[in-house]
Amino acid sequence: MLKIENLKCSINESPVLKGLNLNVKPGEVHAIMGPNGSGKSTLASVITGNDNYDVDDGDINFNNQSILDISPEERAQMGIFMSFQYPVEIPGVSVSNFIKTAVAEQRKFRKEEPISSSELLKSMKDNLELLKMDSSFLSRSMNEGFSGGEKKRNEIFQLAMLKPKLAILDETDSGLDIDALKIVASGVNSLRSAENSFIIITHYQRLLDYISPDYVHILSDGKIINSGDARLALKLEKEGYNGVTK
Amino acid sequence: MESQSNLDIDNMENILHSIMQESNAYLIIKNGIFDFELSNIPNGVNVFQECSGKDSFADILANEFEFVTKYNQNNSLLIECDSSLSLIEPLYILFLDKNPGAQQKSYSNFYLIREGAQVTIIEKQIADLKTTKKQELNIFSNWFLENNATLTYYSHESNNKRPDCSINNNIMIRQMGNSSASFFWFYWEDGITSNDIEVSLDGEFAACNLYSASLLLNSTVVNHNIRMNHNSANCESKQVYKGVFNDNSRSNFNSLVYVNKHAQKTSSIQQNNNIILSDYASVKSNPQLEIFADDVKCAHGSTVGQIDPKALFYLQSRGIGKELGTAMLLRGFLSDVIDEVVDLKLKDLVLNKFYKLLKVNH
């Protein structure tokens, strides 16, 4: 699904990722953990195609195709999705209009039949239900006046509607209380399948209690310094980053 | 039913015919002269025109419109809405202009909304200005709303303006107690437009809302000079002016809200927001307040900025390309004005025009 080879990235000439390697196969959940400044969000941004970052070396392959020269919207249409750490507010653009347009654009790209309004509405209502969101969300402007928890649930709602092949959750658990966390986690779990994959970027073990990863990677100073299974996260929790640095 | 003067421009014909077919209330003014035969005047609406002594409304000019300082006597037009008028559908007022000879023209229009009348007016300037020489239009529009009158007014331009065509709108609005008026102006054509608007809230509990949305390309200029006078207590006013500017387009927004010392419990909002899409567009925004009463709520804000790149990236990350994403963001930006439009046909027309200018299908 996703193969990252020796990725080196910088922002404003300042290096952030310094030779990162990652291999994610279909059906897998990978957790990436690391201290502040290690490059976690940079990794998410670069996979998504944020051009504030420069790729200085290495490659990112999605389904055996390099995506470095592919625009962010095309990457999304190919099936890459990111749940933002800080979702931006978009006044005047309603949640329903946003989803409708995103779904239509992606179906157009994949040369699928456009979805009917009633089918889309049903799908939206089902997914709102999954995330315990009231249907009044649909008519609100995207993220405007949303609490932190509502913003994160809105991200997972979009994930549920767009059904990507690869979903990157960038610190989705930050700012969430335990109840919101459980709702988000159960939403993600119900979307997991053998055909899609998740990269979960997080500081804390907490989310991984609910979404159990197949692999855990420790990111430090722009490189993955340790990889293991779910127990590595528990070790990190107990011993801190010093304990998991090889 | 067809008039004798030659309406042989496709655009004019189409617009005219579609309105005449779908509507039961329309006033047609051709080259400045009101066409009684072609128009469909609903009950409760009276039209007068100063034209060589016929249908003179000199007494109304002297009384109700004594506040008007500038107008052109020749061919002045008065549209009066009786107290009995309660029109559900909009009243279309169409100004058709096909006059290749004249280069400078001046029109004076008076609108009298009588006590308790309720009306929605949609005004269109349908001018064939592309085939004529450079034109200068001076339009004097004078509105008087009696007590409890309710008015919603929409205006947008035709599709045939030359870049050097200049239009000067001089608008005076006087409102008495408990009257309510909302004005909407849309700008998207070429040319140089200057709007001078003066509103006087002269009766208590009057409300006046001015809405404007502009999407300007090329070297279009639209300037607004507004003076909102709160002369009575308990009145509300709102100005929502939103502009999107591309290429070399320009705009000056000058607005003064004056609150008289007797105008306690005034509530006024002055909002001017602008987005610039190119390096050469320019906007100046100058909101001012002169407040002489002490129990008032007056808010003002003006912004000039660009499209939020984070918002655009967010849309891209969901598979929405830059052009469509930009159009969505701009539609959201203008929603403060567009979503206040109650007439659905007009709202559709505005949105269609808007998306066409941004070159996206919607």
Side-chain angles (χ1 to χ4, degrees):
Chain A
M1 169 89 64
L2 183 75
K3 191 158 181 196
I4 302 179
E5 289 172 325
N6 194 32
L7 186 65
K8 292 186 180 156
C9 298
S10 56
I11 183 166
N12 296 330
E13 319 257 309
S14 197
V16 185
L17 297 178
K18 300 172 183 173
L20 189 138
N21 294 291
L22 184 66
N23 201 341
V24 178
K25 298 205 187 72
E28 292 178 350
V29 175
H30 291 240
I32 299 190
M33 307 178 77
N36 285 329
S38 54
K40 301 193 299 297
S41 281
T42 300
L43 176 61
S45 297
V46 170
I47 297 173
T48 325
N50 187 330
D51 62 9
N52 285 331
Y53 298 91
D54 302 310
V55 174
D56 303 314
D57 203 356
D59 205 357
I60 304 176
N61 285 300
F62 182 67
N63 291 336
N64 296 315
Q65 186 187 350
S66 170
I67 58 169
L68 290 183
D69 291 328
I70 295 183
S71 69
E73 60 268 31
E74 272 183 80
R75 297 188 199 195
Q77 288 159 0
M78 287 163 71
I80 298 176
F81 177 90
M82 172 159 83
S83 165
F84 284 75
Q85 187 179 1
Y86 303 110
V88 79
E89 292 184 0
I90 311 185
V93 178
S94 69
V95 172
S96 65
N97 190 20
F98 181 86
I99 298 283
K100 205 163 59 153
T101 310
V103 167
E105 288 302 292
Q106 295 207 16
R107 289 179 88 108
K108 232 188 335 186
F109 172 82
R110 295 194 294 260
K111 303 213 187 347
E112 289 169 8
E113 281 296 307
I115 190 170
S116 76
S117 299
S118 51
E119 219 186 305
L120 183 67
L121 187 60
K122 175 158 198 312
S123 178
M124 289 200 281
K125 291 208 158 134
D126 289 343
N127 285 316
L128 283 173
E129 169 91 43
L130 179 73
L131 291 160
K132 310 261 185 292
M133 288 163 80
D134 187 71
S135 59
S136 64
F137 268 101
L138 292 178
S139 52
R140 289 172 70 180
S141 287
M142 280 291 289
N143 300 321
E144 198 175 39
F146 285 22
S147 69
E150 286 172 339
K151 283 186 185 171
K152 294 292 166 76
R153 276 186 285 169
N154 190 19
E155 295 295 287
I156 306 302
F157 173 63
Q158 292 169 57
L159 200 173
M161 292 301 303
L162 294 171
K163 303 197 195 15
K165 298 213 187 72
L166 173 69
I168 305 161
L169 306 188
D170 188 4
E171 304 215 33
T172 298
D173 52 342
S174 77
L176 286 187
D177 62 42
I178 192 71
D179 291 328
L181 190 75
K182 283 187 190 172
I183 293 170
V184 162
S186 92
V188 170
N189 281 330
S190 68
L191 296 166
R192 278 169 80 160
S193 78
E195 280 85 49
N196 61 23
S197 311
F198 287 79
I199 296 175
I200 300 181
I201 295 173
T202 182
H203 263 309
Y204 304 110
Q205 158 63 22
R206 209 172 51 148
L207 180 63
L208 304 178
D209 284 340
Y210 300 99
I211 305 178
S212 52
D214 301 305
Y215 297 95
V216 174
H217 309 277
I218 309 294
L219 182 61
S220 177
D221 194 28
K223 279 172 141 162
I224 289 179
I225 55 162
N226 199 348
S227 293
D229 61 18
R231 290 170 298 178
L232 186 56
L234 293 165
K235 185 165 192 223
L236 172 66
E237 183 97 328
K238 277 227 297 267
E239 298 173 31
Y241 285 105
N242 283 331
V244 297
T245 304
K246 276 203 193 140
Chain B
M1 266 277 257
E2 284 293 338
S3 129
Q4 284 189 353
S5 93
N6 211 345
L7 297 172
D8 61 352
I9 296 138
D10 283 347
N11 210 341
M12 270 199 209
E13 289 278 349
N14 291 340
I15 297 172
L16 194 57
H17 280 143
S18 88
I19 291 174
M20 285 168 74
Q21 270 185 336
E22 292 159 13
S23 163
N24 292 317
Y26 46 87
L27 308 179
I28 297 176
I29 298 105
K30 282 201 320 253
N31 296 330
I33 306 293
F34 181 68
D35 192 326
F36 278 93
E37 278 164 31
L38 205 56
S39 302
N40 193 339
I41 310 173
N43 285 332
V45 175
N46 309 307
V47 183
F48 305 84
Q49 187 152 37
E50 291 277 344
C51 239
S52 40
K54 272 203 306 186
D55 296 332
S56 166
F57 52 95
D59 54 333
I60 292 180
L61 273 178
N63 294 311
E64 282 86 340
F65 289 101
E66 48 114 24
F67 66 95
V68 174
T69 48
K70 276 197 294 190
Y71 64 94
N72 186 340
Q73 184 91 30
N74 295 333
N75 298 333
S76 284
L77 183 71
L78 168 67
I79 295 161
E80 178 189 27
C81 295
D82 268 347
S83 295
S84 63
L85 184 69
S86 182
L87 202 54
I88 300 172
E89 61 171 322
L91 172 65
Y92 283 92
I93 303 179
L94 310 176
F95 293 88
L96 308 181
D97 218 329
K98 193 201 171 193
N99 205 339
Q103 287 178 313
Q104 199 189 62
K105 283 183 279 186
S106 174
Y107 298 119
S108 293
N109 305 314
F110 295 83
Y111 308 80
L112 176 53
I113 319 292
R114 290 281 187 201
E115 181 155 353
Q118 295 178 34
V119 67
T120 294
I121 290 176
I122 299 182
E123 213 169 68
K124 295 189 204 253
Q125 305 278 343
I126 307 175
D128 176 40
L129 293 168
K130 260 210 168 93
T131 63
T132 67
K133 302 192 186 96
K134 170 179 169 171
Q135 288 233 336
E136 186 185 313
L137 278 179
N138 292 301
I139 305 176
F140 297 90
S141 303
N142 304 294
W143 298 82
F144 183 64
L145 273 73
E146 292 187 340
N147 292 332
N148 291 300
T150 306
L151 166 72
T152 305
Y153 169 90
Y154 301 103
S155 165
H156 69 87
E157 310 153 293
S158 72
N159 301 330
N160 290 315
K161 275 172 72 190
R162 285 166 50 112
D164 56 6
C165 164
S166 86
I167 296 186
N168 299 308
N169 282 312
N170 301 282
I171 303 169
M172 293 194 78
I173 300 165
R174 181 166 188 233
Q175 290 185 232
M176 303 313 292
N178 292 295
S179 66
S180 164
S182 293
F183 290 83
F184 290 81
W185 292 281
F186 296 99
Y187 298 100
W188 50 57
E189 291 298 332
D190 288 339
I192 302 152
T193 305
S194 188
N195 299 309
D196 278 84
I197 303 174
E198 180 157 3
V199 181
S200 296
L201 302 175
D202 285 339
E204 290 201 20
F205 297 100
C208 183
N209 303 316
L210 306 179
Y211 293 98
S212 173
S214 304
L215 175 55
L216 305 188
L217 311 177
N218 306 324
S219 300
T220 308
V221 177
V222 178
N223 293 324
H224 308 282
N225 293 298
I226 302 164
R227 189 182 166 107
M228 178 73 70
N229 298 309
H230 280 259
N231 297 325
S232 279
N234 294 297
C235 291
E236 281 179 18
S237 72
K238 197 165 164 191
Q239 297 168 46
V240 183
Y241 277 69
K242 311 214 62 165
V244 176
F245 303 91
N246 208 345
D247 306 322
N248 298 315
S249 59
R250 289 193 337 259
S251 177
N252 284 346
F253 174 83
N254 290 307
S255 170
L256 174 70
V257 171
Y258 162 80
V259 180
N260 184 298
K261 67 180 178 194
H262 300 299
Q264 300 295 358
K265 306 263 188 257
T266 283
S267 165
S268 94
I269 296 174
Q270 234 178 348
Q271 183 188 338
N272 177 227
N273 307 112
N274 304 285
I275 289 190
I276 297 192
L277 299 177
S278 83
D279 288 342
Y280 301 102
S282 110
V283 171
K284 286 196 201 138
S285 181
N286 182 22
Q288 297 173 71
L289 293 167
E290 264 181 27
I291 305 174
F292 296 99
D294 51 26
D295 184 7
V296 304
K297 270 195 305 196
C298 295
H300 72 156
S302 92
T303 62
V304 183
Q306 293 159 309
I307 293 217
D308 180 2
K310 288 204 179 109
L312 193 58
F313 180 70
Y314 190 75
L315 295 176
Q316 286 178 283
S317 76
R318 290 357 186 194
I320 299 170
K322 266 195 171 144
E323 262 183 11
L324 180 57
T326 299
M328 282 177 78
L329 292 177
L330 292 176
R331 160 72 181 96
F333 171 72
L334 294 176
S335 65
D336 283 5
V337 173
I338 298 181
D339 289 349
E340 295 296 317
V341 174
V342 172
D343 188 276
L344 293 176
K345 242 168 87 176
L346 184 81
K347 190 172 175 179
D348 261 348
L349 185 153
V350 168
L351 285 172
N352 285 337
K353 181 71 188 185
F354 166 80
Y355 284 118
K356 190 167 161 199
L357 285 172
L358 290 172
K359 303 194 174 74
V360 293
N361 293 323
H362 110 96

